[in-house]
Amino acid sequence: MAPTRQAALCLAAILAHGQASPDVAFRALRGGCTASYTHNCMGNPVCCDPTTKCYAKDDAVAVCLHSCEPGVHDNDLPQFRTPWTCRL
């Protein structure tokens, strides 16, 4: 099976952080992790960047972030400026 673009991005993120254990690299190549903060990790809470975790904004959206504070995030676009739960 050929790696997908997302899997390639996952592997690049892992390698860039020097965290390319065989198990993690294998999951990335299989598309087993969420590529970045621009992707919703709600359905797959394994982040490719090992320095991030999948934090929930609400019941529908979660993203891979280094940290999360509950409440409104000023860096969200105005139309999406609703409180974050920051559930893991």
Side-chain angles (χ1 to χ4, degrees):
M1 159 170 61
T4 64
R5 176 168 163 63
Q6 181 176 354
L9 291 172
C10 289
L11 186 57
I14 292 165
L15 292 171
H17 287 89
Q19 301 288 327
S21 72
D23 179 55
V24 174
F26 179 71
R27 279 187 290 139
L29 285 173
R30 284 190 20 217
C33 57
T34 300
S36 73
Y37 66 88
T38 60
H39 296 88
N40 189 344
C41 59
M42 184 67 72
N44 182 13
V46 178
C47 301
C48 292
D49 179 344
T51 67
T52 63
K53 294 180 181 176
C54 182
Y55 290 99
K57 177 174 180 134
D58 52 34
D59 290 334
V61 175
V63 296
C64 295
L65 299 170
H66 291 282
S67 64
C68 187
E69 289 290 325
V72 175
H73 290 188
D74 292 335
N75 61 335
D76 284 345
L77 294 173
Q79 65 268 33
F80 301 118
R81 215 167 273 160
T82 57
W84 283 74
T85 65
C86 295
R87 287 185 321 265
L88 289 172

